[in-house]
Amino acid sequence: MCKTYCFILTSVILLQGKATGGPVRMGYEYMPEEDAWLRLHIEPAIWPDARLRCHLEGGALASPTTSAMTKALVAMLAANKMTMRHAYIGVHALLSKGEFMSMEGIPMGNLSARWREGEPNNMKNEEDCVVLDGAGEAIDVSCSTPRPYFCRKESTRMIVNKCGTTADGYKLEPRTGSCYKFHLVPRTWHRAAMACQAEGGHLAVINSNKEAQALKDIFGEHPITSIKGGNVLEANVGIWDWNEHGEWLTIFGQTLSEAGYEGWRHNEPNNVEKEFCGAIDRDGYLNNCPCDRFALFICEVTPK
């Protein structure tokens, strides 16, 4: 088992800067047999959130598609001293009850991993997701229990760009020295923050009038008529009240004055409808908004 894992780690060292064109994305390790990268998220998440996180990172929940993949997943559990624990894989029966398949649509019977004896048992008729144990066996479980999980990314998604991230869509802004990405898929404020972090960045934090103007210009590149879904007049950025409902800070804990920009829209913040998260409007002004409102958002990455 150690042999397989050591081979994977050796490949990471040899291929850094070659297969990726720069630093390896945090936590991912190269698997030469599959020409793919794997990551074991040890921070537990429910299956839907695990699926989303892998997707936001540019990959998918990993499935034991081959014997080499199964060995690699088991080896990662062992290397993290998790042989007695389980981790979510990309196998589920969410589309059709009892019909387990991988994220790629491969039926369970055609995958490398086999069911543990007595599984699947669909306890309480609510076990539609699957975990892999330290012996490489599959167990059906409830999707709503937080567990560690595996992500897989193809090599073509691991090229590090000039902004220092593997995520597409980031552009360098000379006025600020940061890279920004305008997300056209609306998400709630916290989901937006999750998306930015998965891409190696964070919700944009405005540190000057110059940066506010830069974000206003980025917003202006996307006219209202080109946007479908969500709030089209504002975009989520990196300020909120940290659930204190009164004091507005950046996601890094600075006051807006310390950060360098306090350009609120007239009569804002007013907290009319439990508006505890922050956004920027098309004129470059800040506004408070409900955290669960679906809106566009802007991510920021500092080039490395």
Side-chain angles (χ1 to χ4, degrees), residues 10 26-27 60 64 71 86-87 90 129 136 150 162 168 202 221 226 244 256 268 273 281 293 295 301 304:
T10 302
M26 182 178 62
K71 290 178 182 177
H86 312 137
C129 293
F150 293 104
K162 64 182 180 181
D168 297 329
H202 55 81
E221 295 172 2
S226 70
E244 291 299 323
L256 302 193
E268 300 291 350
E273 300 175 350
D281 66 18
R293 181 197 64 174
V301 167
K304 299 180 179 62

Side-chain angles (χ1 to χ4, degrees), residues 3 22 32 57 68 76 79 87 110 113 144 152 174 197 199 226 232 256 268 299:
K3 219 168 183 185
E57 288 182 1
M76 293 184 84
N110 293 339
S144 60
R152 169 182 173 144
Q197 290 173 342
E199 293 180 340
S226 70
V232 300
L256 302 193
E268 300 291 350
C299 296

Side-chain angles (χ1 to χ4, degrees), residues 194-225:
M194 177 181 176
C196 295
Q197 290 173 342
E199 293 180 340
H202 55 81
L203 277 171
V205 174
I206 307 174
N207 299 114
S208 64
N209 290 328
K210 183 190 299 183
E211 189 164 17
Q213 181 63 47
L215 297 190
K216 174 184 174 181
D217 294 344
I218 291 172
F219 212 153
E221 295 172 2
H222 304 276
I224 294 175
T225 53

Side-chain angles (χ1 to χ4, degrees), residues 163-179:
C163 288
T165 177
T166 61
D168 297 329
Y170 281 88
K171 295 181 181 179
L172 179 64
E173 172 50 62
R175 287 173 287 183
T176 66
S178 288
C179 294

